[in-house]
Amino acid sequence: MSFPITRHRRLRGSAGIRGMVRETVLNVLDFIQPIFVTYGTGVKNEISSMPGVYHFSLDTLKAEVDEIASLGIPAVLLFGIPETKDAVGSSGFADDGIVQEATRLIKKWYPDLLVVADTCLCEFTDHGHCGMVHTHTVDGVVHGDVINDASLELLTRTAVSQARAGADIIAPSNMMDGFVQAIRAGLDANGFEQVPIMSYSVKYASAFYGPFREAADSAPQFGNRKTYQMDPANLREAVREADSDVLEGADMLMVKPALAYLDVIRTIRDQFDLPLVAYNVSGEYSMVKAAAQQGWIDEQAVVLEMLTGMKRAGADIIITYFAKDAARWLRG
């Protein structure tokens, strides 16, 4: 049938009808709120490139967690800024590390709030890379190669220490080959076979990470991460990466970033039946915030449209710095 018998606008005529036929619905249970924890006392410092996002010391953390829990957000993703850094990121797998201590506190305050621990070394290494490196100097310029297999042992120790501290989900973001298999084996050998792995399966070497690197103090001190994070031009490679993680024991898959990679989210959704996570990253957040502060866009409308697009593309879960705002807007 065609016009005039078929009139598509009939199903758009009122808010009630539009709501009844809506195909994609956002829910607060879709969201994970990232948190940055650091050492010190009395610290609640706004990150200059991420308005509304803060560094929290452990003594100021509870107010933030109280707010997240009160909004019904089911999970937080923890990133830690350590007191000291070294070549192997040892504070990342220390039992008294900042992420481990924050995890224990959050689970004490809110046992049912899920703690997702980002498992990487870049915040904890003095060189800012996600694994061990072999460095050499040529004409006064430092060059380095990330050592894949030796890094797996350190990443596994980090994951086990996070699980021991009470993390509900381990989320390895390092993009080393074989990281899911190594971490799964390490968790299982230490009695954490019930702790799931949310793998950063498809993580691109993206320009959208700039504000995060300020937030996490994790910019590489030399070179870049293009030898282990993916080329933004590649889609078929994303399927290969996700397939490897499924075979190695991942429980959830992730695509990062989200906004410029909706086609990748859709492709991974169509290829695999594991829960799929989209990471709405710092650059995506900061661009919207900057435009909203200039009065150029309606922040609420843009954010909810953007998050709906990620879910429509196939994401089951969305990690977003907008989680608290979105939860409030959905209530309203």
Side-chain angles (χ1 to χ4, degrees):
M1 298 288 184
S2 61
F3 179 83
I5 296 173
T6 298
R7 292 180 180 268
H8 298 293
R9 290 180 58 188
R10 292 185 189 120
L11 299 182
R12 304 171 193 158
S14 70
I17 291 175
R18 291 192 297 273
M20 182 181 293
V21 301
R22 185 161 293 132
E23 299 172 18
T24 305
V25 179
L26 281 177
N27 188 296
V28 68
L29 297 178
D30 300 331
F31 302 141
I32 297 175
Q33 173 72 53
I35 300 178
F36 296 94
V37 289
T38 190
Y39 280 96
T41 57
V43 177
K44 183 185 177 182
N45 296 333
E46 189 171 37
I47 297 161
S48 63
S49 59
M50 300 178 69
V53 179
Y54 296 83
H55 290 128
F56 295 97
S57 54
L58 296 179
D59 62 319
T60 66
L61 179 60
K62 189 171 187 298
E64 174 74 357
V65 179
D66 286 344
E67 183 180 15
I68 291 167
S70 71
L71 290 167
I73 297 168
V76 296
L77 173 62
L78 287 184
F79 295 99
I81 296 87
E83 194 169 29
T84 60
K85 302 187 179 194
D86 58 31
V88 296
S90 60
S91 55
F93 48 82
D95 285 337
D96 60 352
I98 188 65
V99 169
Q100 289 80 356
E101 294 289 359
T103 298
R104 292 186 186 97
L105 285 174
I106 293 171
K107 295 307 293 184
K108 176 183 176 182
W109 298 330
Y110 292 98
D112 294 331
L113 183 66
L114 296 174
V115 173
V116 184
D118 179 81
T119 305
C120 196
L121 298 176
C122 60
E123 299 114 289
F124 305 100
T125 54
D126 52 15
H127 47 72
H129 281 283
C130 301
M132 292 180 63
V133 298
H134 171 70
T135 60
H136 56 282
T137 303
V138 178
D139 297 330
V141 177
V142 177
H143 299 268
D145 301 309
V146 177
I147 308 168
N148 190 96
D149 295 8
S151 299
L152 297 179
E153 179 183 352
L154 301 180
L155 292 162
T156 300
R157 290 179 65 183
T158 302
V160 170
S161 73
Q162 292 168 337
R164 187 179 295 120
D168 298 284
I169 299 170
I170 298 300
S173 61
N174 53 87
M175 288 298 286
M176 297 295 109
D177 288 334
F179 69 93
V180 172
Q181 179 174 296
I183 289 172
R184 182 75 272 159
L187 291 172
D188 292 357
N190 285 274
F192 299 113
E193 62 275 358
Q194 297 301 320
V195 174
I197 294 175
M198 176 191 289
S199 174
Y200 286 64
S201 303
V202 181
K203 182 178 180 181
Y204 287 90
S206 172
F208 284 98
Y209 302 150
F212 175 89
R213 290 179 180 170
E214 176 198 348
D217 188 25
S218 63
Q221 298 303 299
F222 53 84
N224 55 54
R225 296 180 178 144
K226 293 182 179 181
T227 64
Y228 46 103
Q229 294 177 359
M230 286 177 51
D231 185 337
N234 293 355
L235 175 59
R236 296 191 302 272
E237 183 182 5
V239 176
R240 297 198 298 272
E241 285 279 2
D243 188 53
S244 293
D245 287 1
V246 171
L247 293 173
E248 291 176 20
D251 300 282
M252 291 175 265
L253 305 176
M254 187 191 300
V255 174
K256 180 183 182 182
L259 194 58
Y261 298 86
L262 296 177
D263 61 321
V264 181
I265 294 172
R266 181 75 262 166
T267 298
I268 300 301
R269 169 76 291 142
D270 289 342
Q271 293 279 340
F272 304 96
D273 61 2
L274 291 180
L276 180 58
V277 184
Y279 198 142
N280 177 209
V281 300
S282 60
E284 299 166 355
Y285 173 87
S286 297
M287 289 191 303
V288 172
K289 282 290 186 183
Q293 288 178 349
Q294 292 295 322
W296 296 335
I297 61 171
D298 179 333
E299 181 179 355
Q300 176 177 336
V302 166
V303 170
L304 293 179
E305 181 177 343
M306 183 170 63
L307 298 177
T308 299
M310 295 170 195
K311 191 169 182 184
R312 188 185 65 244
D316 301 295
I317 301 163
I318 302 172
I319 300 170
T320 177
Y321 303 96
F322 288 113
K324 293 190 298 180
D325 289 335
R328 292 190 193 94
W329 295 330
L330 292 174
R331 278 185 175 184

